[in-house]
């Protein structure tokens, strides 16, 4: 080997050694010791305490919650995430409705009344002092879907201006069990109730009533009843051109069948016709009348945001989210409890943010990308806090590497699996799979994709602006328990505790062993992202892929 070649080889070895020295060796264990079950349980107990009055925005409960989160973010060593502030203000309007006790139904053969709360629930998103149905016509518009990507239009050739549309929950593939319709049993965004109200408004409808089924909605009518004469929040959009129906609402399935029968239709197979291609909307021999009084208050709620500035690429951010809010004080349950504490949903996830902050700050080698911990407001009212952040990002979405959203942490024992919600959406699935395998666990996918959970929490707003978003639910393969035990736990929570006062912290049974294991996986995914240079991508077939590629 001549001298020139020797010098080149020596120079290359020196350069390689320098690169190896400058690139820190990241231990899989770095940061894990900071996670603590007692700490997590303490924060869950505090955030779901009766003194916070159910953490509803615009209440004293919000003030106490925000103060607590700021204190804990500071104690964990987080920097303010919005300039010199831990707060991002979210302009909102509170719309308090008081509906008449019943709804008059008139047909060519007679009239009768439906009872509010028992048969239907209604409200308005309009900023006004009153709204009403005044002997207005009813049209059955199938699923209320206009979906060019699926060659489907329930409003084709239909003029619903000034009329009430009655539509089904979910989308056509669900009830038909036909995988060739939309995504079959897997709900698309067209199946969500929010979409249906938005589309009805775009079509000029005066009102939109969704026919509830427990299977189609994935929760019982008791959850819907929480909206009866309640205050609802949305973003303050004064000065914008957004449109709304006068009245939105839900019909119980028995009430909907009663209306269909009164209109002279066979209620047995009536709704099934909407599952077929070529469905034609149908005007019904029905007219409805009722009144809703409205009071509006404009105010600002608050997202809480802290950060750990990246050491090498601080402009690239990884955002963890959880919603801090719940339903406040509402209708008493059978035990006369009226405080909707929301311990699992979502004091647990918000407490998880604090644990993640402590873990990242404890690392011997600090993240190269910036870590953001974002506790958002008004998820329960329509994902509004995350929607406002996505529309008014503090950190550019083009530089946002990923969103990892936590909406409920497993309060019970360890599980072998962790369930990914939204199969096939992004490469973050592979990140979680690798982290799970290293921990001796496995990933699984949701058993009930018809519930549309990927469209029902705050990660969805990040996905809508192109940011790859990871969302999971509790595993169901509970270690040491018989098959099916975990599914029974989930079903019991949905039936007895979801959006009810009984969602309370249980110091006797809530060990959070499972929740801590899940938190550690979220941490490992974020840690890997924090030291990588590449950006995770959406997968082919994801409806969000094109959005990211435009940025």
């Amino acid at each position: 080997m001549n001298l020139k070649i020797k010098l080149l080889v020596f120079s290359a070895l020196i350069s390689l050694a320098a690169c190896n020295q400058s690139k820190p060796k990241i231990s899989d264990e770095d940061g894990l010791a900071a996670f603590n079950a007692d700490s997590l349980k303490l924060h869950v107990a505090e955030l779901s305490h009766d003194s916070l009055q159910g953490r509803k925005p615009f209440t004293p409960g919000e003030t106490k919650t925000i103060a607590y989160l700021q204190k804990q973010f500071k104690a964990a060593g987080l920097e303010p995430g919005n300039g010199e502030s831990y707060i991002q203000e979210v302009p909102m309007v509170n719309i308090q409705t008081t509906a008449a006790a019943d709804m008059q139904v008139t047909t060519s053969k007679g009239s009768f009344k439906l009872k509010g709360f028992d048969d239907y629930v209604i409200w308005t998103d309009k900023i006004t002092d009153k709204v009403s149905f005044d002997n207005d016509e009813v049209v059955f518009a199938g699923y209320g879907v206009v979906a060019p990507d699926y060659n489907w239009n329930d409003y084709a050739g239909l003029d619903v201006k000034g009329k009430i549309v009655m539509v089904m929950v979910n989308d056509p593939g669900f009830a038909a069990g036909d995988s060739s319709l939309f995504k079959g049993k897997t709900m698309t965004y067209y199946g969500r109730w929010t979409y249906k109200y938005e589309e009805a408004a775009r079509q000029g409808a005066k009102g939109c009533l969704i026919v509830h089924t427990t299977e189609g909605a994935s929760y019982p009518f008791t959850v819907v009843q929480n909206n009866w004469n309640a205050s609802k929040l949305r973003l303050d959009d004064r000065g914008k051109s957004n449109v709304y129906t006068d009245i939105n609402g839900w019909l119980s399935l028995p009430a909907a069948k009663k209306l269909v029968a009164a209109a002279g239709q066979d209620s047995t197979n009536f709704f099934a016709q909407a599952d077929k291609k070529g469905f034609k909307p149908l005007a019904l021999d029905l007219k409805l009348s009722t009144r809703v009084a409205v009071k509006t208050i404009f105010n600002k709620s608050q997202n809480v945001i802290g950060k750990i500035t990246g050491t090498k690429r601080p402009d690239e951010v990884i955002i963890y989210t959880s919603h801090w809010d719940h339903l406040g004080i509402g209708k008493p349950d059978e035990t006369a409890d009226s405080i909707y504490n929301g311990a699992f949903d979502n004091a647990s996830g918000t407490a998880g943010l604090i644990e993640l902050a402590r873990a990242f700050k404890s690392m011997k080698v600090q993240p190269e990308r910036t870590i953001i911990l974002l506790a958002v407001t008004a998820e329960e009212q329509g994902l509004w806090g995350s929607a406002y952040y996505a529309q008014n990002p503090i950190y550019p979405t083009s530089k946002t590497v990923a969103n990892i959203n936590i909406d409920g942490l497993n309060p019970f024992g360890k599980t072998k699996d962790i369930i990914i919600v939204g199969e096939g959406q992004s490469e973050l699935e592979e990140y979680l799979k690798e982290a799970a395998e290293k921990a001796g666990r496995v990933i699984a996918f949701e058993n009930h994709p018809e519930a549309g959970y990927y469209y029902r929490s705050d990660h969805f707003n990040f996905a809508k602006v192109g940011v790859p978003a990871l969302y999971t639910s509790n595993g169901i393969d509970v270690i040491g328990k018989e098959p099916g035990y975990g599914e029974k736990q989930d079903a019991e929570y949905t039936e007895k505790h979801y959006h009810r006062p009984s969602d309370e912290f249980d110091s006797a049974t809530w060990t959070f062993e499972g929740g801590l294991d899940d938190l550690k996986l979220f941490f490992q995914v974020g840690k890997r992202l924090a030291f990588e240079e590449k950006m995770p991508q959406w997968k082919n077939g994801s409806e969000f892929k094109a959005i990211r590629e435009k940025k």
Side-chain angles (χ1 to χ4, degrees):
M1 185 180 293
N2 63 37
L3 180 61
K4 185 175 182 180
I5 293 175
K6 286 181 178 179
L7 289 172
L8 286 172
V9 172
F10 181 71
S11 176
L13 290 172
I14 292 294
S15 297
L16 181 60
C19 287
N20 287 337
Q21 288 176 358
S22 63
K23 191 71 176 177
K25 182 176 176 62
I26 310 303
S27 165
D28 285 342
E29 299 301 313
D30 195 2
L32 291 181
F35 288 101
N36 183 279
D38 290 336
S39 171
L40 180 64
K41 286 189 283 187
L42 172 65
H43 295 309
V44 176
E46 289 292 330
L47 286 166
S48 60
H49 194 270
D50 279 357
S51 63
L52 270 64
Q53 302 176 342
R55 303 189 310 279
K56 188 170 185 178
F58 289 11
T59 69
E62 170 171 10
T63 303
K64 293 178 180 179
T65 302
I66 298 305
Y68 184 83
L69 290 176
Q70 287 190 87
K71 179 181 177 181
Q72 298 305 322
F73 277 17
K74 290 176 184 177
L78 295 181
E79 308 159 52
N82 186 13
E84 297 181 355
S85 176
Y86 289 94
I87 298 300
Q88 181 188 40
E89 291 187 335
V90 181
M92 302 190 73
V93 57
N94 182 74
I95 302 175
Q96 173 70 55
T97 57
T98 305
D102 51 42
M103 183 183 295
Q104 182 74 29
V105 182
T106 303
T107 76
S108 60
K109 297 180 180 179
S111 63
F112 60 93
K113 291 181 179 180
L114 294 180
K115 187 176 180 182
F117 185 79
D118 291 339
D119 295 326
Y120 66 90
V121 175
I122 55 174
W123 65 89
T124 186
D125 288 322
K126 278 194 167 181
I127 299 171
T128 183
D129 58 353
K130 60 184 176 181
V131 289
S132 62
F133 289 155
D134 299 297
N135 218 29
D136 294 314
E137 299 176 30
V138 179
V139 177
F140 177 56
Y143 286 88
V145 168
V146 178
D149 42 336
Y150 292 103
N151 193 29
W152 195 280
N153 186 350
D154 285 325
Y155 287 98
L158 183 64
D159 182 4
V160 296
K161 290 181 175 59
K163 299 176 183 178
I164 303 163
V165 292
M166 180 168 67
V167 301
M168 298 291 291
V169 70
N170 219 301
D171 49 41
F174 166 72
D178 185 348
S179 60
S180 69
L181 293 179
F182 290 65
K183 291 185 178 180
K185 285 285 187 180
T186 299
M187 183 190 285
T188 69
Y189 184 57
Y190 297 114
R192 287 286 291 138
W193 55 270
T194 49
Y195 165 80
K196 296 176 190 295
Y197 296 139
E198 292 163 2
E199 188 59 51
R202 284 190 287 267
Q203 296 290 331
K206 186 174 184 180
C208 180
L209 300 176
I210 299 175
V211 178
H212 175 273
T213 66
T214 299
E215 298 78 12
S218 79
Y219 43 76
F221 196 68
T222 53
V223 172
V224 171
Q225 289 172 318
N226 289 332
N227 294 300
W228 180 252
N229 286 349
S231 63
K232 296 180 72 67
L233 297 170
R234 66 168 175 82
L235 295 181
D236 179 359
D237 60 359
R238 288 175 294 179
K240 298 182 180 179
S241 57
N242 295 342
V243 294
Y244 302 95
T245 63
D246 283 7
I247 294 177
N248 290 330
W250 291 84
L251 291 166
S252 72
L253 182 59
K257 287 183 174 181
K258 185 175 182 179
L259 289 176
V260 168
Q265 302 290 327
D266 179 3
S267 63
T268 306
N269 299 307
F270 179 82
F271 297 113
Q273 64 183 311
D275 303 334
K276 299 177 176 62
K277 290 181 179 179
F279 162 76
K280 301 295 183 184
L282 179 66
L284 299 176
D285 178 19
L286 292 172
K287 293 183 179 180
L288 305 182
S289 298
T290 195
R291 297 280 187 276
V292 180
V294 187
K295 292 182 179 179
T296 56
I297 300 173
F298 295 91
N299 206 333
K300 291 179 180 178
S301 189
Q302 298 165 96
N303 292 334
V304 185
I305 182 166
K307 72 173 180 176
I308 301 168
T309 301
T311 58
K312 291 190 176 180
R313 293 180 298 286
D315 60 326
E316 297 178 1
V317 302
I318 299 147
I319 301 181
Y320 288 90
T321 49
S322 280
H323 72 90
W324 60 255
D325 68 297
H326 201 58
L327 300 176
I329 298 175
K331 182 180 181 294
D333 66 5
E334 56 274 11
T335 69
D337 187 358
S338 61
I339 299 178
Y340 289 68
N341 303 85
F344 174 75
D345 180 18
N346 186 33
S348 64
T350 309
L353 289 185
I354 300 169
E355 288 299 297
L356 285 165
R358 292 176 56 250
F360 276 110
K361 285 298 293 183
S362 76
M363 290 177 61
K364 295 181 177 65
V365 181
Q366 285 290 284
E368 294 179 357
R369 284 169 162 162
T370 293
I371 304 295
I372 301 295
L373 290 307
L374 175 61
V376 294
T377 183
E379 188 269 358
E380 301 291 7
Q381 303 286 336
L383 316 182
W384 295 119
S386 56
Y388 186 80
Y389 179 90
Q391 296 165 22
N392 304 272
I394 297 170
Y395 304 92
T397 55
S398 61
K399 292 286 189 178
T400 301
V401 177
N403 168 240
I404 301 172
N405 184 49
I406 310 169
D407 194 351
L409 272 178
N410 178 8
F412 303 117
K414 295 173 177 286
T415 62
K416 179 72 174 176
D417 59 336
I418 183 169
I419 296 176
I420 290 176
V421 178
E423 181 178 2
Q425 287 287 2
S426 82
E427 293 175 348
L428 293 174
E429 285 182 19
E430 279 66 49
Y431 284 70
L432 184 64
K433 181 180 180 182
E434 183 178 314
E437 287 175 347
K438 286 183 178 180
R441 301 180 66 191
V442 297
I443 63 167
F445 298 100
E446 54 189 322
N447 284 342
H448 300 287
E450 70 276 9
Y453 287 116
Y454 199 77
Y455 311 102
R456 287 172 56 176
S457 194
D458 293 298
H459 61 285
F460 178 48
N461 284 315
F462 286 89
K464 286 200 292 186
V465 294
V467 176
L470 178 65
Y471 180 48
T472 69
S473 64
N474 301 340
I476 57 174
D477 184 1
V478 182
I479 295 172
K481 299 293 185 180
E482 69 278 5
Y485 177 84
E487 287 184 290
K488 289 179 182 176
Q489 276 190 313
D490 282 355
E492 180 180 348
Y493 171 77
T494 300
E495 180 183 352
K496 297 182 179 179
H497 308 299
Y498 176 62
H499 284 190
R500 301 193 72 189
S502 56
D503 183 2
E504 295 183 307
F505 177 70
D506 185 344
S507 59
T509 63
W510 285 22
T511 65
F512 279 102
E513 291 179 333
L516 275 179
D517 277 358
D518 291 350
L519 265 182
K520 290 175 182 177
L521 294 186
F522 305 148
F523 172 69
Q524 297 288 36
V525 171
K527 186 166 70 173
R528 175 178 166 185
L529 291 167
F531 289 96
E532 283 187 343
E533 295 186 8
K534 69 175 186 177
M535 305 276 275
Q537 301 299 317
W538 292 103
K539 293 184 176 182
N540 292 331
S542 171
E543 58 264 55
F544 309 111
K545 183 178 175 63
I547 303 171
R548 184 66 155 186
E549 291 174 348
K550 289 178 182 178
K551 292 187 179 295

